[in-house]
Amino acid sequence: QVQLVESGGGLVQAGGSLRLSCAASGSISSINGMGWHRQAPGKQRELVADFSSSGSTNYADSVKGRFTISRDNAENTLYLQMNNLKPEDTAVYYCTINARARGQPFALIYWGQGTQVTVSS
């Protein structure tokens, strides 16, 4: 199995910054992609940023130029640097990984438990 543990959420004023971390652990055989999603109250979950299997990055239009996704492959850790935060960025942020666990014939998408980010105006 694969476990994801997120950290780094919190309360910040508009214009501030936060850095989210996501540590993946378990019997990981291969990773196809990693990313961040978020869900605001009363809204659908949406993609924030991700790495594809080729290593290319993808960002939601609403966060381009403000958020940066990065990763440490050696540590299987994913990061999301969030700058110039806005109240509309308030949401629960979830880490996701598309990975194949050892002994499994195919990859699955795993989700973290989520970390709350609140941006005050």
Side-chain angles (χ1 to χ4, degrees):
Q1 289 296 324
V2 177
Q3 297 83 37
L4 301 175
V5 178
E6 299 128 333
S7 60
L11 173 64
V12 64
Q13 288 188 332
S17 299
L18 284 174
R19 188 191 194 206
L20 305 183
S21 300
C22 173
S25 62
S27 301
I28 299 173
S29 177
S30 62
I31 296 176
N32 297 325
M34 300 181 76
W36 293 95
H37 289 69
R38 68 185 181 187
Q39 187 166 21
K43 294 187 177 181
Q44 288 189 333
R45 194 170 293 187
E46 63 175 355
L47 174 70
V48 177
D50 68 0
F51 280 103
S52 71
S53 58
S54 66
S56 62
T57 56
N58 178 50
Y59 292 91
D61 288 341
S62 59
V63 307
K64 283 181 181 176
R66 300 187 298 121
F67 291 10
T68 302
I69 190 172
S70 63
R71 65 187 179 185
D72 183 333
N73 290 332
E75 298 293 332
N76 283 340
T77 301
L78 185 70
Y79 302 97
L80 184 68
Q81 178 66 44
M82 304 185 294
N83 298 327
N84 190 23
L85 282 159
K86 304 176 180 181
E88 51 263 41
D89 294 317
T90 295
V92 177
Y93 284 70
Y94 298 91
C95 171
T96 62
I97 182 172
N98 183 330
R100 185 167 65 88
R102 289 194 181 94
Q104 295 297 319
F106 45 80
L108 294 173
I109 296 176
Y110 298 87
W111 290 77
Q113 82 284 358
T115 184
Q116 177 70 46
V117 171
T118 303
V119 184
S120 63
S121 58

